C-alpha cells in the first residue's frame, strides 16, 4: 500500500480549484410594500415574544427538576458487578444501579457490497463522499440596493447537493451516488457475560471512531456482482484511512442492483440524468464535461490528485473493542433501562465512555444540566431580541425615507441594540419570577436588579424625550 496518494480533508473545498463568482444587483421593494411587510412582522414579533417567555419559564422549571432528580438519584443508587463472570442479582431488579464494565467482542461485521470486514469491532461505518459543486450565497445591502454574490466551490460531501436551485445553471451535480450512501453495521446484541447492553448504552459507550487496520480494503474482495467496477476504481487514502476511489465514468456501467435502486430514487428527486461540470471565473470559462449515460471512454482510470465532479470515495471507521463504559440506570432483568422518578415523571439514564466513578458521573450530569440551561436562556434572549426588533422595525422603514443611505442603516443598528437591551432585562425579570418559588435566596436579588435596571432605562428614555 505504499503507492497510496494523500487527499484533502473530507468536506473541505479543494485548495487548488478555481471559484465561479456571479453577482446580481437589484432595487429593494418600494416603501409601501416594505412598510406592509414590517407591519406584518409586528404580528410575528408578538408570537416570538410569547414563545420566548414560554421557553424561559419551561427552561427554568426543567433545569430545577433535572437537578432535583439527579440529587435524589445520587442518594438512591446502588453499585452492582457487571462482568463476564458475574451473576444477576434479582434483588436489585427495577432499582437504580451503577456499574462500570469492559465490552469485548469477537463478532464479524462486514460490508457486503465492498467485502470490507472487521472481527473486533462493535460498529462498522461506511462513509461515502462525492465530489460536488456547492453554492454559497451572500447578500449585501447598500442603501436601497441589494447585491447578491453566488460563489461556487468544489467540495467532498457525504450528502447529495441538489443543484437545480443554483443561480448559475451550468454548475450541475449528478444528483445521485453511484455506490449508495453512508451505512452502519453493528453487533446486536452486545453482551457482557449474562448481561445485555441496551441500545442507549451501546450508542453512548464511545467517543470516537478508529481507523481500520492497514490492508482491510482490497479491490479483489469486492463481490463479483459489481466486478465491472475494476477499471474505474483504485485504492487511495483519505487522511489516515484507506479508501476506494471511484471515477465518475462508472455511472455508464453501474449495475442495476440495490445501489442502482438508490440511483433511480435520487434521479427522481433530482429529475436529472446527466452531469455537466462547468467552472466559470472572472478570468474566463473552463469546461469539463462527463456523461452519465452511454459507454465508458478510454480514460476511465480515476485520478485522486485531479478529481472530477461526480467522483466518489469510500472509506471506513469502526468502534474498536475492548472498551470501557460506565452506566447509571434501572436494572430490568438482564438488561438496563431508564429509571423514572415518580415524583417528577422524569427519566434518568446516564452513560459515559471510560471508567468513571458514580460520584463523578452525577457531578458531570449536574454540570451538563447547568450548561444546557444557560444555552437555552441565551436562545430565549435572542428570540426575544428578534421579537422586539420586528415590533420596532417600522421605524427603520420610515427612516429610509430620509435621502441619506446611512440613516436607515443607523436606525436599524440602534433598534437591534435597543431590542437586545430590552430582551436581556425582560429575560432577567422572567427568570427571577420563575425562581421565586424554588430559589428565593437567588431570585429576590436578581428580580430587584432587573426591576431597577428596567426603571432606570425608562427614566433615561423619558429624560431624553423631554430634552
Amino acid at each position: 500500500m505504499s503507492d497510496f496518494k494523500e487527499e484533502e480533508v473530507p468536506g473541505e473545498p479543494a485548495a487548488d480549484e478555481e471559484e465561479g463568482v456571479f453577482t446580481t444587483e437589484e432595487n429593494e421593494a418600494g416603501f409601501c410594500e416594505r412598510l406592509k411587510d414590517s407591519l406584518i412582522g409586528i404580528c410575528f414579533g408578538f408570537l416570538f415574544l410569547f414563545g420566548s417567555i414560554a421557553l424561559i419559564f419551561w427552561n427554568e422549571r426543567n433545569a430545577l427538576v433535572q437537578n432535583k432528580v439527579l440529587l435524589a438519584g445520587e442518594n438512591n443508587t446502588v453499585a452492582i458487578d457487571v462482568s463476564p463472570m458475574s451473576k444477576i442479582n434479582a434483588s436489585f431488579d427495577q432499582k437504580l444501579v451503577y456499574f462500570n464494565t469492559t465490552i469485548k467482542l469477537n463478532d464479524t461485521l462486514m460490508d457486503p457490497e465492498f467485502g470490507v470486514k472487521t472481527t473486533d469491532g462493535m460498529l462498522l461505518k461506511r462513509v461515502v463522499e462525492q465530489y460536488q459543486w456547492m453554492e454559497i450565497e451572500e447578500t449585501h445591502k447598500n442603501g436601497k440596493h441589494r447585491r447578491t454574490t453566488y460563489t461556487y466551490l468544489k467540495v467532498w460531501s457525504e450528502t447529495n447537493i441538489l443543484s437545480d436551485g443554483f443561480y448559475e445553471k451550468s454548475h450541475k451535480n449528478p444528483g445521485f451516488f453511484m455506490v449508495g450512501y453512508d451505512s452502519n453495521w453493528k453487533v446486536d446484541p452486545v453482551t457482557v457475560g449474562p448481561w445485555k447492553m441496551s441500545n442507549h448504552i451501546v450508542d453512548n459507550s464511545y467517543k470516537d471512531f478508529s481507523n481500520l487496520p492497514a490492508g482491510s480494503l482490497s479491490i479483489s474482495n469486492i463481490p463479483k456482482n459489481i466486478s465491472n467496477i475494476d477499471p474505474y476504481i483504485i485504492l487511495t487514502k483519505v487522511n489516515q484511512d484507506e479508501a476506494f476511489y471511484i471515477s465518475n465514468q462508472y455511472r455508464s456501467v453501474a449495475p442495476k442492483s440495490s445501489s442502482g435502486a438508490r440511483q433511480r430514487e435520487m434521479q427522481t428527486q433530482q429529475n436529472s440524468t446527466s452531469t455537466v461540470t462547468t467552472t466559470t471565473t472572472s478570468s474566463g470559462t473552463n469546461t469539463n464535461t462527463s456523461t452519465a449515460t452511454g459507454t465508458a471512454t478510454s480514460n476511465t482510470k480515476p485520478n485522486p490528485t485531479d478529481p472530477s465532479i461526480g467522483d466518489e470515495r469510500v472509506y471506513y471507521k469502526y468502534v474498536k473493542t475492548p472498551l470501557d463504559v460506565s452506566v447509571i440506570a434501572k436494572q430490568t432483568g438482564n438488561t438496563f433501562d431508564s429509571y423514572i422518578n415518580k415524583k417528577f415523571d422524569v427519566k434518568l439514564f446516564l452513560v459515559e465512555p471510560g471508567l468513571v466513578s458514580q460520584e463523578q458521573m452525577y457531578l458531570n450530569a449536574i454540570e451538563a444540566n447547568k450548561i444546557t440551561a444557560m444555552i437555552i436562556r441565551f436562545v430565549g434572549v435572542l428570540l426575544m431580541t428578534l421579537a422586539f426588533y420586528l415590533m420596532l422595525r417600522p421605524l427603520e422603514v420610515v427612516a429610509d425615507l430620509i435621502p441619506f443611505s446611512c440613516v436607515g442603516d443607523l436606525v436599524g443598528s440602534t433598534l437591534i441594540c435597543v431590542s437586545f437591551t430590552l430582551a436581556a432585562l425582560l429575560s432577567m425579570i422572567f427568570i427571577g419570577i420563575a425562581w421565586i418559588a424554588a430559589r428565593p435566596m437567588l431570585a429576590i436579588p436578581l428580580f430587584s436588579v432587573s426591576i431597577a435596571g428596567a426603571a432606570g432605562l425608562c427614566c433615561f428614555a423619558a429624560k431624553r424625550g423631554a430634552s
Side-chain angles (χ1 to χ4, degrees), residues 1 4 115-117 212-221 235 237 240-244:
M1 301 298 178
F4 284 169
V116 176
K117 65 180 180 180
L212 286 179
S216 298
L217 274 64
S218 174
I219 295 176
S220 61
N221 290 339
L235 284 174
K237 272 195 174 182
Q240 300 300 316
D241 294 301
E242 296 179 355
F244 296 117

Side-chain angles (χ1 to χ4, degrees), residues 49-232:
L49 178 61
F50 294 138
S52 63
I53 294 173
L55 178 64
I56 289 172
F57 275 106
W58 173 86
N59 178 56
E60 297 309 319
R61 180 188 181 280
N62 180 70
L64 180 61
V65 168
Q66 291 288 346
N67 191 67
K68 289 184 176 181
V69 169
L70 290 170
L71 293 176
E74 188 174 12
N75 296 325
N76 293 283
T77 304
V78 293
I80 64 172
D81 178 28
V82 175
S83 64
M85 304 303 294
S86 64
K87 296 182 179 180
I88 299 174
N89 189 338
S91 63
F92 294 135
D93 198 57
Q94 304 302 311
K95 291 185 178 180
L96 186 61
V97 299
Y98 158 82
F99 67 89
N100 58 52
T101 189
T102 300
I103 299 175
K104 185 176 182 179
L105 303 172
N106 297 306
D107 300 75
T108 298
L109 293 173
M110 181 174 181
D111 176 2
E113 292 192 59
F114 287 92
V116 176
K117 65 180 180 180
T118 177
T119 57
D120 62 345
M122 186 171 68
L123 184 146
L124 176 65
K125 178 181 180 181
R126 178 177 71 191
V127 181
V128 184
E129 296 179 336
Q130 186 181 94
Y131 203 54
Q132 303 179 65
W133 285 110
M134 180 179 68
E135 179 185 75
I136 300 175
E137 179 180 345
E138 296 178 297
T139 300
H140 303 280
K141 179 183 175 184
N142 182 16
K144 296 182 179 180
H145 299 279
R146 184 171 53 199
R147 180 173 181 173
T148 304
T149 301
Y150 302 88
T151 303
Y152 296 89
L153 302 175
K154 293 178 180 180
V155 298
W156 287 104
S157 175
E158 296 180 36
T159 58
N160 182 49
I161 302 176
L162 297 178
S163 58
D164 284 353
F166 283 1
Y167 172 78
E168 175 50 49
K169 300 302 181 183
S170 63
H171 294 79
K172 289 187 178 294
N173 290 323
F176 60 93
F177 280 59
M178 296 181 289
V179 295
Y181 301 92
D182 296 356
S183 299
N184 293 327
W185 295 267
K186 66 179 181 179
V187 176
D188 189 22
V190 174
T191 59
V192 177
W195 304 93
K196 176 184 176 182
M197 301 294 106
S198 65
N199 289 333
H200 185 71
I201 296 176
V202 172
D203 294 341
N204 293 276
S205 62
Y206 58 92
K207 292 182 179 179
D208 302 307
F209 287 92
S210 302
N211 300 326
L212 286 179
S216 298
L217 274 64
S218 174
I219 295 176
S220 61
N221 290 339
I222 298 177
K224 292 182 178 180
N225 65 323
I226 53 174
S227 60
N228 56 353
I229 199 175
D230 286 355
Y232 308 89

